[in-house]
Amino acid sequence: MKIGIIGSGGMAKALAGKWRSKHDVMLSGRNAERAQAAASETGAVAGTATEAAAFGDVVVLATRWEDVFSGIESAGGPDAFKGKIVIDINNPVSTESFLTTREDGRSLTQAIADHLPGAHVGKAFNMAQVAVWEDEDMHYDGRQMVTLYTADDEADTTIAALISDVGAAPLRLGGNAHAYQLEAAAAIVIQFLFAGRDPQTIFNFIQPEIKAVR
Ligand SMILES: NC(=O)c1ccc[n+]([C@@H]2O[C@H](COP(=O)([O-])OP(=O)(O)OC[C@H]3O[C@@H](n4cnc5c(N)ncnc54)[C@H](OP(=O)(O)O)[C@@H]3O)[C@@H](O)[C@H]2O)c1
């Protein structure tokens, strides 16, 4: 698969580092030198946001959540995402109140899907910290890390496969109407992380074998 990532920070590098053995990955950013350095670290290639969106069959939005829509504009705007699988990994969470910033009850994922009508959008990878995604093993207390995701359409099988490819077990929570719950749950995780809990101990309590609610 060809994966373009808008962003080349912690999450972009952690995911690219895992996907590189199976997929072609392009990282991007506003600063070409930083993007190149991140690409060299992970074995991916670097490009502009526009190049990354054009490159990927899958495009991962991995800027800070405040920059998601400017990142989409940097990539060429909604037309650049037509027909692509788009993975939203972002947590719109205040690190002061530890509440989601989405006060209207609609998730950032749904706002992205509304903004990109030609794309197949889903949410994944938001519930654990960079250190967890970098972990080669992804088993904690003898259990494989479970990764909840949401998707409405053909994004479903692709996102599930890409979760497996980082070493975690995919578990679909439901369609993107459920993404708000993932964002709110991440607010809980982030609150405990900021309080000093070990990132590898948080939120791995669901067995993937239990049938997901569809
Ligand atoms: N950190 C975590 O543990 C974690 C875990 C789960 C989910 N998340 C979510 O993942 C997202 C990314 O987090 P992160 O920790 O990886 O952030 P980060 O390290 O700050 O990286 C953000 C990246 O976005 C790039 N960027 C910003 N605006 C851009 C634009 N307009 N066009 C292209 N690239 C742009 C930045 O590069 P330039 O400055 O060079 O442009 C940088 O490489 C956040 O929304 C966060 O909520 C984070």
Side-chain angles (χ1 to χ4, degrees):
M1 223 180 283
K2 286 186 162 183
I3 304 171
I5 305 184
I6 311 302
S8 43
M11 283 297 287
K13 283 193 285 182
L15 295 173
K18 288 281 184 71
W19 285 331
R20 265 298 294 136
S21 61
K22 271 188 131 172
H23 305 289
D24 296 322
V25 184
M26 182 183 286
L27 300 174
S28 65
R30 292 164 298 190
N31 178 296
E33 276 178 26
R34 279 202 297 266
Q36 183 54 60
S40 304
E41 265 181 61
T42 59
V45 296
T48 62
T50 308
E51 288 166 343
F55 175 86
D57 310 308
V58 175
V59 184
V60 180
L61 302 177
T63 61
R64 283 157 36 97
W65 65 266
E66 298 95 326
D67 298 323
V68 164
F69 292 101
S70 71
I72 289 171
E73 284 315 302
S74 307
D79 282 352
F81 294 82
K82 284 215 166 103
K84 313 262 179 187
I85 308 277
V86 174
I87 308 180
D88 165 32
I89 68 165
N90 303 280
N91 286 318
V93 172
S94 161
T95 51
E96 287 174 9
S97 66
F98 301 109
L99 296 169
T100 162
T101 59
R102 304 290 308 174
E103 289 170 359
D104 61 0
R106 279 174 67 73
S107 59
L108 176 62
T109 310
Q110 287 173 299
I112 293 168
D114 290 348
H115 192 64
L116 304 178
H120 309 289
V121 179
K123 188 172 205 88
F125 304 107
N126 73 309
M127 293 275 288
Q129 212 197 8
V130 165
V132 174
W133 301 117
E134 286 173 339
D135 185 1
E136 285 304 321
D137 180 42
M138 302 218 86
H139 283 73
Y140 306 102
D141 296 329
R143 288 181 299 142
Q144 189 180 20
M145 167 83 182
V146 174
T147 293
L148 296 171
Y149 70 98
T150 67
D152 284 326
D153 52 25
E154 55 254 60
D156 185 352
T157 47
T158 301
I159 291 175
L162 289 175
I163 291 170
S164 298
D165 289 342
V166 301
L171 181 58
R172 183 175 176 270
L173 179 62
N176 287 332
H178 290 260
Y180 186 86
Q181 268 78 0
L182 278 188
E183 293 171 8
I188 302 171
V189 171
I190 290 166
Q191 181 168 348
F192 284 120
L193 286 172
F194 271 65
R197 297 284 182 104
D198 177 350
Q200 298 189 342
T201 65
I202 303 173
F203 262 101
N204 192 30
F205 57 77
I206 300 168
Q207 292 174 301
E209 296 78 20
I210 295 173
K211 198 171 181 298
V213 178
R214 296 263 163 181

